[in-house]
Amino acid sequence: MDRTQNPYAPGAGYQPPELAGRDVLLRDAQIDLQRIRDGKPTKSLMLLGLRGVGKTVLLNRLHTIAVDLRFQAIKIEAPEGGQLARLMVPEIRRILHGLDLLLATKAALKRSFGILRNFVKAFKISVGDVDFGIELTPGEGDTGDIEQDVPVLLLSVARVAKEANTAVALFIDEVQYLSPSELSAIIVACHQAAQMGLPLFFVGAGLPQIAALAGNAKSYAERLFDYPEIGPLDPEAARRALVAPARRAGVEYGEDAADSILAITERYPYFIQEWGFHVWNYAEVTPISAADVEATQAAIIRHLDANFFRVRFDRLTALQQKYLRAMAELGKGPFKTGDIAAILEVEATTVAPVRKQLIDKGMVWTQRHGETAFTVPLFDAFMRRQMPVFERHIPKRRSRSPSLEPHS
């Protein structure tokens, strides 16, 4: 096949050529956005799912829809380490300048700029040499407590948007990396905006533990958001995601070839794009055959091992890697934490800190109480390839202080 015409788009957040199986979610979210624009109450969204299911793709598509509906849209990817305040400031400043052009009166705008300036000062955020040219708004957004100040700031922007007959949409990817206080701040802002009838809509995306994290942050979070679970595509949608882009380019798949790819990828959207991309580059004629799929299998696995899987593996300590290898020894999961500890031949309490570290790094999640599962599809097979021989864990003994040694 002509590689320049390859229709597939493997990558983090790349829009696939065929966004199959997500029509209902996108339609419902667009209705929610329109309701917010019209001043009607609606729940915000938390998109939950494993790596590779297309959460970022959906978040980006919803961002585009919001912009098309004339929302004032903020999009942030949450990094590890608590940087929400720093990331929000330039986005909010941009929005306030845009709203300036839509307003007949400027009182609410000046107040919001003053709160933003307070916020910048309270959190010691550098915004270059730009002077807001606005006096401070005493006592608002200046406590230095993010759980108090972020809601004040976002609500002030939502008030300006309402006066300008528009609305604000806040999109945050990788929500699980928000600190507890940052997540709580977002939840409080959404709750207060709903109570006040202010046009603020939130879309978050991240790993499945977000629902529990949100509930732990604020008990009312379960009633404030809808939590659509984004999983593998259903068989019909998965086939369409694979076959339709090739068909538009004049290339067909043999039935066995398509079946083979969907079985190998377990219908995860990211892996469908990877297999489609590499098989297209290998195949010489249409229809693409099962032999083409089989011939490319080893090369695709090597590519994923060196890239998609490896970048996650290399972030782990030796003990964290060993914990994941113990999980892989048990299969795909989910697993009882006691069973993982038994494979390691230690008490569950001994490796509980390691499990917590892996949850914080987004490598595993707690599906139900006392259970642990991989957040990355097919990671169990990667761990067995990466560490072919499983070695049980032998805790290191701590040497006693010389001062505590018994005297002879």
Side-chain angles (χ1 to χ4, degrees):
M1 305 297 171
D2 182 354
R3 292 191 177 193
T4 65
Q5 300 304 309
N6 192 322
Y8 299 99
Y14 291 6
Q15 288 291 316
E18 183 77 17
L19 185 51
R22 312 303 191 198
D23 300 5
V24 173
L25 186 150
L26 291 171
R27 181 202 64 202
D28 290 349
Q30 181 161 351
I31 290 170
D32 290 340
L33 286 163
Q34 290 170 330
R35 284 178 59 83
I36 288 289
R37 277 295 313 265
D38 294 342
K40 296 181 174 65
T42 191
K43 290 183 179 180
S44 289
L45 293 177
M46 289 278 200
L47 309 177
L48 311 182
L50 304 181
R51 303 289 186 192
V53 296
K55 303 182 300 298
T56 300
V57 167
L58 289 171
L59 186 108
N60 289 340
R61 181 63 65 90
L62 291 173
H63 178 266
T64 299
I65 291 171
V67 171
D68 290 344
L69 290 172
R70 307 295 179 124
F71 271 72
Q72 306 300 309
I74 301 168
K75 188 168 68 171
I76 292 170
E77 180 178 334
E80 296 180 59
Q83 298 292 318
L84 180 64
R86 180 181 61 81
L87 293 171
M88 284 182 62
V89 165
E91 287 292 297
I92 289 179
R93 183 175 177 276
R94 173 184 59 81
I95 281 180
L96 290 176
H97 278 294
L99 288 170
D100 188 11
L101 304 175
L102 303 176
L103 291 166
T105 60
K106 309 295 183 183
L109 179 71
K110 288 181 178 179
R111 177 172 175 265
S112 190
F113 261 123
I115 293 171
L116 178 60
R117 190 172 179 183
N118 287 349
F119 189 85
V120 167
K121 184 177 180 181
F123 288 94
K124 299 179 174 61
I125 298 168
S126 173
V127 288
D129 296 326
V130 178
D131 184 355
F132 289 106
I134 299 290
E135 292 184 3
L136 299 179
T137 304
E140 294 191 275
D142 57 2
T143 69
D145 181 338
I146 198 163
E147 191 171 341
Q148 294 186 48
D149 293 345
V150 163
V152 170
L153 180 58
L154 286 174
L155 293 176
S156 75
V157 177
R159 287 189 185 93
V160 179
K162 185 175 184 178
E163 189 173 308
N165 295 314
T166 183
V168 177
L170 172 61
F171 298 84
I172 300 183
D173 201 3
E174 303 287 7
V175 170
Q176 73 277 354
Y177 290 141
L178 293 177
S179 70
S181 59
E182 289 174 336
L183 179 57
S184 182
I186 296 297
I187 294 170
V188 170
C190 292
H191 189 218
Q192 292 182 0
Q195 290 176 320
M196 299 176 187
L198 294 175
L200 174 65
F201 190 73
F202 173 73
V203 180
L207 298 175
Q209 62 259 37
I210 293 172
L213 292 174
N216 291 338
K218 294 294 176 184
S219 60
Y220 53 76
E222 63 184 29
R223 291 165 285 148
L224 191 62
F225 303 105
D226 284 330
Y227 297 90
E229 295 185 8
I230 316 301
L233 298 173
D234 65 55
E236 181 182 348
R239 189 172 297 274
R240 190 164 74 250
L242 174 67
V243 171
R247 183 167 291 160
R248 287 195 291 268
V251 174
E252 297 291 337
Y253 279 85
E255 193 73 16
D256 289 348
D259 288 345
S260 178
I261 290 175
L262 297 184
I264 294 166
T265 61
E266 299 183 9
R267 306 196 308 275
Y268 282 98
Y270 170 72
F271 294 122
I272 290 173
Q273 295 302 307
E274 283 286 7
W275 256 264
F277 180 83
H278 290 282
V279 171
W280 172 286
N281 287 345
Y282 175 84
E284 295 181 353
V285 296
T286 183
I288 293 171
S289 68
D292 293 324
V293 177
E294 184 177 356
T296 57
Q297 176 82 342
I300 297 171
I301 292 295
R302 286 195 300 272
H303 172 77
L304 289 171
D305 283 359
N307 296 279
F308 181 76
F309 295 125
R310 186 80 199 188
V311 295
R312 291 165 171 80
F313 181 84
D314 286 346
R315 297 176 62 232
L316 307 174
T317 66
L319 187 51
Q320 290 165 359
Q321 292 170 0
K322 187 173 290 188
Y323 191 95
L324 294 183
R325 181 60 180 84
M327 290 175 60
E329 192 77 359
L330 292 167
K332 292 183 178 297
F335 320 101
K336 293 181 179 178
T337 53
D339 291 344
I340 302 169
I343 290 289
L344 291 165
E345 299 185 28
V346 298
E347 295 294 325
T349 53
T350 303
V351 288
V354 180
R355 178 174 175 270
K356 173 63 165 59
Q357 293 160 8
L358 287 167
I359 291 173
D360 291 343
K361 287 187 175 182
M363 294 302 303
V364 302
W365 68 290
T366 302
Q367 190 163 11
R368 285 177 288 273
H369 181 69
E371 289 189 347
T372 304
F374 290 107
T375 61
V376 182
L378 312 186
F379 205 75
D380 58 312
F382 166 75
M383 289 302 303
R384 290 191 293 272
R385 291 190 299 271
Q386 185 65 32
M387 302 172 67
V389 179
F390 172 70
E391 298 178 359
R392 72 181 184 88
H393 178 56
I394 303 176
K396 293 182 179 179
R397 285 179 171 271
R398 292 184 179 179
S399 59
R400 291 189 297 176
S401 171
S403 61
L404 299 179
E405 292 290 343
H407 297 286
S408 56

